Amino acid sequence: MAGGGFTLPKARPNGPPYFSRNQIASVLHQVAVLLELNGANVFRVRSYQNASRMLGGLTEDLGELVATGRLFEMKGIGKGLGSALTQAIGEGRWPSDWVDLHEQTPKGLIEMLGIPGLGPKRIKLMNEELGVDSVATLKQVALDGLIAPMKGFGEKSQQRMLNGIELLARFRARRRLDVGLMYGEAFQTKIATLDGVIKAQLAGSARRRKETIGDLDLVVAVESENHEMVSQAILGLPGIADVKGAGDSKISIILDTSVFEGGFTVGHIDPNVLDAIGGEDYEQLESSGTIDAQVRLVPPEVFPFTLAYFTGSKEHNIAMRQRAIDRGLKLNEFGLIPDAKAGDLKGMAAAKFSLHATNEEEIYRHLDLEWVTPELREDTGEIVAAESSALPTLLTGKDIRGALHNHTTLSDGEATLEQMADTARKMGWNWLGVADHSPTLKIANGASAEDLLQQGATIREYNTAWANEGVDFRLFHGVESDILEDGKLDHPDDVLGELDYTVASVHAISKWKARDEVQNTEELMRCLDHPSTTILGHPTGRILQGRDGYEVDLFAVLEYMAEQNDDGHLKAVELNASPYRLDLDWRLCKHAKGLGVPIIINPDAHSIRGLADISYGVMAARKGWIESPNVLNSLSGEELSRRLA
Ligand code: DGT
Ligand code: CA
Ligand code: ZN
């Protein structure tokens, strides 16, 4: 698969202009890269790069520039390039030498461009000197140590390539939920506004809020007579890097970042996290990233069945289908069809005999079930619960009144205490806790005891002032303490005693990863024994798409915490809401809930924008069957203050 859409976009149906400014700029850039890969003269390469930059930054209408011929008067647009662009923009045809360039450049070389930090010049060199012609062969020669001795390369760049190859593979396989949702929602919005589209909805793992997404599934309701028109219009939408297959009812495509109208930025990332997901290479990986999508067009009366089927999970579907069989019905993506009527008919032909359903609720009702929210469709007990009116009343964003693990400029946060408090109030929160890093964590500018206590004094002043003004909002003061040797905390007891709470987290990941499960589990328990430890922060240290967590028996840890809570000590487990973490895993939330261990959903915000990550935590909590009373976030400031006392 090509990286970052190394294909020529299809002309939109109703030009001119047949291509957008962004499309033209990115094609010019592609042509430059391909020319360089093919060893073209550097001046030629540069002229395409310059034209790409110039046209990309233009505010004028491209169609106008072509129609009036003014394009030819622009600096850097020679006769050749001017005619090529005139033909593309005015007639919707790419020049044949650009098409040849795209078709004749070996796919393996293009694939290598996706490796972070690797450009066309070096790819060409390795191709000529070592015969490298794909990511796979590159990996082999790097492992054989053949790259390091090459002039201008060396040991370090050889290692960097190996790291890059690994990152790329991980990145291509699945994408994080936040990224998948961004692509999915952007494309869904575009489809929803097309003529003839009645409804467009995201299905699959994205709708179920899985922590990572393999591919996107979209279901679109369109009257049968409009299928062809709508499917053509979808293929003309911006954001499509490649078409893998296209019929009137099923379209298989690859989306790239051009789906985002306002461009694509990754935002501020906590340095600990960034390190695990590729460091400075991460941004390049993300901006040249792609995601596969399957779009299905169905008539409106079939839509609920198709939506339910492609929402999955596969396991949930299998259980549902069995339930249908038990009732003499056949459930599939086209309908819920009585055996007696369908006979040997298949697909849409059988769908004519389907029981009627205008929405998913009615499908579930036909099977004597309450509607199951998509997050729960994993066949982990939801069907039994839906049968007996025992489905949980899941937590929602509205239940959230505050969060306890957030950073300010005192450690590695971007925003001041005041900015964070302001934003929390604007979000409608009743309280906010700040827990800056402790001194041991140098990379995160861990704060000294003195600075920490000063922050506490400031917080008390604000709280007093708000109370006097009758403002129902308060700050809680905590620390995110590193868990040190033998489970010790990172401040003396008298300092910790001054705080409202302590989030204890592991940051020395490589040390913890080098040890076994028993030792790690015991150290976490030792740390929980400390009377000041209130919250176990990001309990496994995993970074999605970055690294696995350290080995730990979280079942045992949660059981231990349950006993401590029974003895009257508040010990809460964090569900870190950063979409890079989502740690506690949703699969363990249900277990914590069963044991009665309180959960606290924390955005671990390092900026005001980071506070909004709470929504991913709520998604994961819902997926883990969590209800409002199971989280500390739903308490009022006053109630929480009592619990922390
Ligand atoms: P992903 O894409 O790996 O993150 O996960 P999903 O759940 O989106 O899975 P995907 O894209 O392979 O298929 C979308 C849904 O279609 C899936 O959740 C359930 C349904 N589906 C796919 N294949 C089968 C199947 O063989 N049997 C059944 N019962 N359902 C299937
Ligand atoms: Ca999928
Ligand atoms: Zn933190």
Side-chain angles (χ1 to χ4, degrees):
M1 187 176 63
F6 261 82
T7 48
L8 290 166
K10 288 203 172 54
R12 65 168 153 235
N14 27 21
Y18 285 96
F19 299 102
S20 71
R21 182 161 35 89
N22 280 343
Q23 285 177 317
I24 294 291
S26 83
V27 165
L28 286 168
H29 169 75
Q30 276 177 36
V31 170
V33 171
L34 293 179
L35 283 171
E36 199 170 4
L37 213 45
N38 285 283
N41 152 325
V42 357
F43 297 105
R44 196 152 167 241
V45 171
R46 208 170 293 156
S47 73
Y48 279 88
Q49 289 292 21
N50 290 342
S52 166
R53 217 166 307 128
M54 197 263 292
L55 292 176
L58 216 60
T59 45
E60 282 160 275
D61 187 77
L62 261 187
E64 288 252 331
L65 281 180
V66 167
T68 57
R70 273 192 298 129
L71 179 69
F72 288 91
E73 294 160 21
M74 309 201 64
K75 200 167 161 272
I77 304 286
K79 225 173 169 179
L81 195 50
S83 318
L85 290 173
T86 302
Q87 178 192 307
I89 297 164
E91 297 167 32
R93 286 185 297 118
W94 294 113
S96 59
D97 53 328
W98 296 7
V99 176
D100 291 347
L101 201 52
H102 277 80
E103 281 174 359
Q104 286 160 15
T105 306
K107 288 277 175 278
L109 298 188
I110 294 178
E111 188 193 6
M112 275 190 272
L113 288 166
I115 300 170
L118 197 55
K121 217 175 278 140
R122 291 179 147 219
I123 293 175
K124 183 166 185 299
L125 223 88
M126 293 188 295
N127 177 253
E128 286 166 355
E129 298 197 7
L130 301 171
V132 168
D133 58 4
S134 66
V135 173
T137 50
L138 174 62
K139 184 172 176 180
Q140 198 49 55
V141 297
L143 286 173
D144 293 345
L146 298 176
I147 289 173
M150 280 175 67
K151 191 162 170 278
F153 282 74
E155 201 67 56
K156 226 169 138 185
S157 74
Q158 177 170 280
Q159 189 53 47
R160 185 155 178 237
M161 275 181 223
L162 282 170
N163 295 345
I165 291 169
E166 203 217 307
L167 265 174
L168 181 68
R170 214 181 312 152
F171 211 76
R172 285 279 161 79
R174 300 189 73 80
R175 308 298 299 278
R176 287 193 324 271
L177 175 63
D178 58 322
V179 175
L181 279 178
M182 267 195 275
Y183 278 94
E185 284 166 2
F187 202 61
Q188 176 199 351
T189 308
K190 288 190 202 304
I191 294 177
T193 55
L194 293 175
D195 266 356
V197 169
I198 300 163
K199 204 169 0 176
Q201 204 170 328
L202 205 50
S205 49
R207 186 168 181 232
R208 299 200 316 281
R209 310 301 195 221
K210 274 276 286 279
E211 67 278 21
T212 60
I213 308 294
D215 67 354
L216 296 168
D217 304 273
L218 285 137
V219 185
V220 188
V222 179
E223 296 291 359
S224 303
E225 65 265 28
N226 292 332
H227 275 201
E228 194 188 334
M229 172 188 84
V230 171
S231 102
Q232 282 309 311
I234 290 174
L235 290 171
L237 287 171
I240 301 179
D242 210 351
V243 178
K244 289 165 114 182
D248 287 351
S249 60
K250 184 179 169 194
I251 300 171
S252 233
I253 48 182
I254 300 172
L255 298 175
D256 68 15
T257 53
S258 60
V259 78
F260 303 110
E261 241 131 68
F264 183 80
T265 52
V266 293
H268 179 86
I269 304 169
D270 167 1
N272 288 301
V273 173
L274 188 61
D275 192 42
I277 53 173
E280 59 195 38
D281 291 336
Y282 173 66
E283 191 137 5
Q284 190 203 328
L285 270 173
E286 199 68 89
S287 54
S288 65
T290 60
I291 192 165
D292 288 15
Q294 321 288 337
V295 185
R296 285 172 174 93
L297 276 58
V298 289
E301 64 278 11
V302 174
F303 179 84
F305 296 100
T306 312
L307 178 66
Y309 182 86
F310 288 106
T311 296
S313 66
K314 192 173 163 187
E315 292 73 18
H316 178 86
N317 287 355
I318 290 170
M320 289 285 282
R321 192 189 306 145
Q322 187 54 51
R323 208 175 158 86
I325 291 171
D326 296 344
R327 285 162 176 71
L329 298 162
K330 189 173 164 198
L331 177 65
N332 58 29
E333 67 261 53
F334 303 109
L336 181 59
I337 304 142
D339 288 337
K341 293 201 178 145
D344 287 337
L345 293 175
K346 287 217 160 56
M348 291 292 279
K352 278 205 295 281
F353 300 102
S354 174
L355 301 185
H356 185 74
T358 46
N359 51 38
E360 282 186 343
E361 277 87 343
E362 292 177 15
I363 302 175
Y364 282 87
R365 204 173 309 144
H366 284 309
L367 298 174
D368 306 307
L369 295 171
E370 281 178 18
W371 179 70
V372 177
T373 197
E375 294 95 316
L376 296 186
R377 300 184 196 171
E378 298 290 347
D379 194 26
T380 56
E382 72 278 12
I383 293 186
V384 174
E387 185 176 58
S388 50
S389 297
L391 283 168
T393 307
L394 294 179
L395 180 78
T396 72
K398 289 197 191 78
D399 297 321
I400 303 292
R401 310 199 66 186
L404 287 176
H405 175 183
N406 300 293
H407 299 269
T408 73
T409 45
L410 185 68
S411 61
D412 61 347
E414 261 188 346
T416 61
L417 178 65
E418 291 75 14
Q419 290 169 323
M420 294 295 278
D422 254 10
T423 308
R425 285 178 66 183
K426 284 195 191 113
M427 287 164 74
W429 284 5
N430 186 238
W431 49 271
L432 180 76
V434 295
D436 274 306
H437 288 290
S438 63
T440 299
L441 204 61
K442 300 248 162 30
I443 170 183
N445 189 30
S448 68
E450 197 186 342
D451 290 345
L452 182 69
L453 294 175
Q454 179 55 47
Q455 186 186 46
T458 311
I459 284 177
R460 278 190 296 277
E461 278 168 34
Y462 281 123
N463 283 343
T464 309
W466 282 320
N468 290 338
E469 292 162 29
V471 173
D472 188 14
F473 182 83
R474 71 184 80 194
L475 286 167
F476 288 100
H477 189 220
V479 69
E480 179 178 19
S481 168
D482 240 27
I483 302 179
L484 308 178
E485 211 60 51
D486 301 323
K488 286 202 182 63
L489 292 174
D490 197 12
H491 276 296
D493 289 355
D494 57 334
V495 172
L496 295 171
E498 293 286 311
L499 307 172
D500 294 322
Y501 64 96
T502 295
V503 182
S505 322
V506 170
H507 288 109
I509 292 291
S510 32
K511 199 178 104 192
W512 283 66
K513 285 192 84 156
R515 288 194 311 219
D516 68 13
E517 182 183 291
V518 175
Q519 210 178 348
N520 286 338
T521 305
E522 275 172 9
E523 293 228 345
L524 284 192
M525 289 181 182
R526 290 295 75 73
C527 177
L528 283 161
D529 281 338
H530 194 292
S532 288
T533 303
T534 337
I535 297 167
L536 178 60
H538 42 71
T540 72
R542 78 173 181 191
I543 302 294
L544 296 168
Q545 307 281 266
R547 62 165 185 240
D548 294 337
Y550 47 83
E551 299 282 334
V552 59
D553 181 353
L554 270 188
F555 285 96
V557 172
L558 288 171
E559 267 162 40
Y560 193 68
M561 293 174 80
E563 285 168 27
Q564 293 179 309
N565 278 286
D566 287 345
D567 292 341
H569 307 291
L570 175 63
K571 304 286 174 184
V573 63
E574 173 173 274
L575 194 180
N576 193 294
S578 160
Y580 297 87
R581 295 185 184 270
L582 297 178
D583 179 18
L584 195 65
D585 189 280
W586 59 268
R587 295 162 189 83
L588 279 159
C589 285
K590 206 174 171 184
H591 192 65
K593 174 183 173 178
L595 287 167
V597 176
I599 292 176
I600 172 88
I601 305 174
N602 282 321
D604 197 354
H606 286 71
S607 63
I608 56 176
R609 175 174 156 176
L611 284 170
D613 283 349
I614 192 83
S615 63
Y616 299 109
V618 172
M619 291 177 198
R622 287 171 60 85
K623 196 159 184 59
W625 291 61
I626 296 304
E627 304 176 87
S628 169
N630 308 137
V631 297
L632 296 180
N633 308 75
S634 59
L635 299 176
S636 68
E638 199 170 327
E639 289 164 331
L640 181 62
S641 169
R642 253 181 275 133
R643 290 289 296 274
L644 291 174

